[in-house]
Structures are given as C-alpha cells and as structure tokens.
Amino acid sequence: MLLFAASIFLCLAACGHSSTAENSPQGAVAPQAATFPPAPAAATTGGFDGAKAYKHVEQLVAIGPHPAGSEGIHRAQQYIIAQLKSFGCSVEEQDFHVPGTPAGDVAMKNILVKLPSDNPNILLFGSHYDTKLMENFVGADDGGSSTGVLLEFARLLCARKNAATIWLAFFDGEEDFNFTWTGQDNTFGSRELAASIALAGNVPRVKAMILVDMVGPANPVYKREYNSTRWLVDLIWSTAAELGYSKVFVKDQANIEDDHESFLSRNIPSVDIIDLDVPYWHTTQDTLDKIDPRTLAITGHVLIEALPELEKKAK
Ligand SMILES: [Zn+2]
C-alpha cells in the first residue's frame, strides 16, 4: 500500500502525462524565432546537424496543431515522408484505425524507416509526431523537437552502412484525447507497432528501443527514467558522460509514462530520453522560441555516438 501510494505520488509529481493545470487557450500562437545561439557545427557533434534538426521543428510548428486524426496531421505526415524520401530512406506507412476513442473512431499512421543490414537484429529509435489535442497547441518541444532530431538522425543513418538492422518509427497518437493521461487513451501508435512486432514473431530480434520525446529546451536535464531498461540507460548515459554531457544526462531518476512502455511490456529493452520538467508542458506556450538548437544537437550527438555500442549489443 505504501509502495502503491509512493508510486502514485511519483506519478503525480513526474509522470509524463499527468496534467498539472488546465490552461485556457491564450489566442493564436505565432511561431517565433529562437533567441538562442545557432547550433554547434555538425563536425563537432558527430555529423549530426542541429541546425537541420531545428529547421524540421520550425516546419512542423508552422503546420500548426496536428493532433491524431486532424487535418494538420496529414500535413505533418506529408512533411515527414517527403523529408525521409529526400534523404534516400525508403518509407513504410503503417496505417491503422482506432475505434472508440474519446474523439470517436480515428485513423492513424505510423511512419517507419527500416534500414537493412547483414545483421537481422533490430535497433529501434522512435518519436511521436502528433501534438496534444488543445486549441492553439503547436507542440514545438512536445512532438516537434524529437521528430526534428529523428529526421536529422535518419538523414545520417540512411547514408550509413549499419552493423544492425535499424528501424526508425514516427509514432502517431501518443497524446491522450482526454486532457489528462487516462488508461489506454494514449500511446496508440507505439502500441500498434509493438503489437505488429509481436505478431510477426520479431520480439527477440529487437535488441533495443530508444525513445526521444521533449528534447528541445534550453539547459536540458534528462533524468534516468525509472522503468527503462537498466543496461540501456547505462549505455546511453555513459556515452553522454564521455562526450561531456553529464550535466544534461544526470543521475537523478524520474518515473515517466511514455511510448517506450509499449515495448517494455513486450520485454523489449527500452529507454526514454525526455526533459519533462519544463513550465510550458501541455500549454500553448510550447512554441518555437523554447527550442534551443544546441539541445537538439546534444541529443543527436549522443544517439550517433551510442550507435557502435548499441550495434555490439545487437550482434
Ligand atoms: Zn505531451
């Protein structure tokens, strides 16, 4: 009972999607330029270009709100698919239909890139690209930042000879239709992909799932997510420490419900990289001016530099 109470407290305090405030719409939010310095040169961040990642965030924000099932999300899908194809990535669309959500029956689409390798074992990287269903909510950080990072990551990986099969997944329907995180009213896209992996008998092939979500704020702090797989957290966090980012990837823990749990529940090693401790979370203030290109670059740098170790784990 105590443990239960403690976990409830942790969840209320730090849970990915428990609401803290009912924010009333505050009028149309125009995309604003960041006031931060430009991203570091790609040569200093493993080839990952923070400026290119930032440009993607800018384009996604310019689309406006794009919750699951909306007009906007079709434009977000078109943007992501066109960018991936421009990098030479082959794109797979996983279309599915979710009946009986609080918003009725909703058509959703995961966007997948599956990079072949002589090694059939899979490393899976993911981000959700839908924004929360809220008037004027553009989700620059929540949805945009991680999608920008994953797109720039795709540009590098689709041109790289990879020592493991690599899948990149852009998830639809991570956000609740309800304002608060409620039961299974969330993580629709990641649960769909996890289910399809299980149905195909591919769970044993997936050696690691790395989720990015809310990776755009200035002075980011990524805490070790409590339910994430220990060795995978250690691998990512030690890579970050070697690169000099131990003040970003910190030792503190947080308990966060997110898309990685769809894979954890299938016994796939999974980790969530997220800074949820931002004052604008799930408010209309989650706008482009909150996005620091340097944070995108740091996040991408760690992903790129962690790849050789991840590939060893996937042998
Ligand atoms: Zn969210």
Side-chain angles (χ1 to χ4, degrees):
M1 197 59 201
L2 237 186
L3 271 175
F4 181 66
S7 73
I8 292 284
F9 170 77
L10 268 176
C11 216
L12 286 175
C15 215
H17 302 268
S18 58
S19 72
T20 50
E22 296 275 344
N23 286 279
S24 55
Q26 294 161 6
V29 181
Q32 295 162 283
T35 53
F36 301 111
T44 65
T45 50
F48 185 96
D49 192 334
K52 285 195 163 77
Y54 180 82
K55 194 79 192 160
H56 295 310
V57 183
E58 191 175 47
Q59 294 298 311
L60 289 162
V61 167
I63 287 168
H66 42 282
S70 68
E71 191 58 40
I73 204 153
H74 296 128
R75 290 197 294 276
Q77 288 158 356
Q78 284 163 9
Y79 177 76
I80 291 166
I81 291 167
Q83 289 299 309
L84 290 170
K85 288 185 173 167
S86 78
F87 308 147
C89 308
S90 66
V91 180
E92 195 176 301
E93 298 175 39
Q94 183 178 37
D95 289 292
F96 58 104
H97 201 257
V98 184
T101 78
D105 293 355
V106 180
M108 297 192 196
K109 186 193 293 288
N110 290 332
I111 300 167
L112 308 174
V113 173
K114 297 179 175 177
L115 298 170
S117 165
D118 296 337
N119 176 0
N121 289 331
I122 298 165
L123 299 171
L124 169 62
F125 294 85
S127 157
H128 79 88
Y129 69 92
D130 62 308
T131 57
K132 182 148 186 69
L133 178 60
M134 250 177 92
E135 203 175 343
N136 298 319
F137 181 83
V138 296
D141 193 15
D142 194 356
S145 62
S146 54
T147 302
V149 165
L150 202 60
L151 279 170
E152 170 58 3
F153 196 54
R155 184 182 68 84
L156 298 178
L157 292 200
C158 291
R160 179 179 182 268
K161 179 149 174 54
N162 304 303
T165 300
I166 295 181
W167 289 8
L168 307 175
F170 298 83
F171 298 124
D172 200 345
E174 185 270 347
E175 300 284 5
D176 286 60
F177 292 97
N178 289 300
F179 188 81
T180 52
W181 189 259
T182 312
Q184 299 234 297
D185 177 32
N186 49 59
T187 62
F188 295 102
S190 56
R191 284 189 287 120
E192 180 72 16
L193 179 61
S196 67
I197 288 171
L199 196 63
N202 280 332
V203 165
R205 284 177 63 199
V206 187
K207 300 303 181 187
M209 192 281 157
I210 296 100
L211 178 69
V212 281
D213 190 5
M214 302 182 70
V215 289
N219 306 311
V221 174
Y222 300 139
K223 294 178 180 169
R224 297 168 61 104
E225 200 284 313
Y226 201 70
N227 298 307
S228 296
T229 307
R230 178 70 184 268
W231 69 259
L232 186 52
V233 176
D234 287 345
L235 190 157
I236 302 280
W237 262 245
S238 65
T239 302
E242 283 162 22
L243 296 172
Y245 302 137
S246 50
K247 285 189 174 140
V248 176
F249 289 74
V250 301
K251 291 192 171 121
D252 296 355
Q253 289 199 332
N255 185 4
I256 293 166
E257 293 182 18
D258 208 341
D259 281 320
H260 64 311
E261 298 201 312
S262 305
F263 301 91
L264 280 174
S265 67
R266 305 267 180 188
N267 294 318
I268 292 171
S270 306
V271 61
D272 191 10
I273 301 172
I274 182 170
D275 181 353
L276 189 63
D277 249 339
V278 291
Y280 52 78
W281 174 65
H282 285 184
T283 77
T284 54
Q285 301 307 303
D286 184 354
T287 43
L288 190 60
D289 55 305
K290 308 304 186 301
I291 303 301
D292 186 341
R294 184 171 165 269
T295 305
L296 305 175
I298 289 171
T299 309
H301 191 192
V302 171
L303 294 183
I304 286 288
E305 297 293 343
L307 255 184
E309 282 303 310
L310 288 166
E311 286 173 327
K312 275 186 210 162
K313 294 281 184 186
K315 269 193 176 142

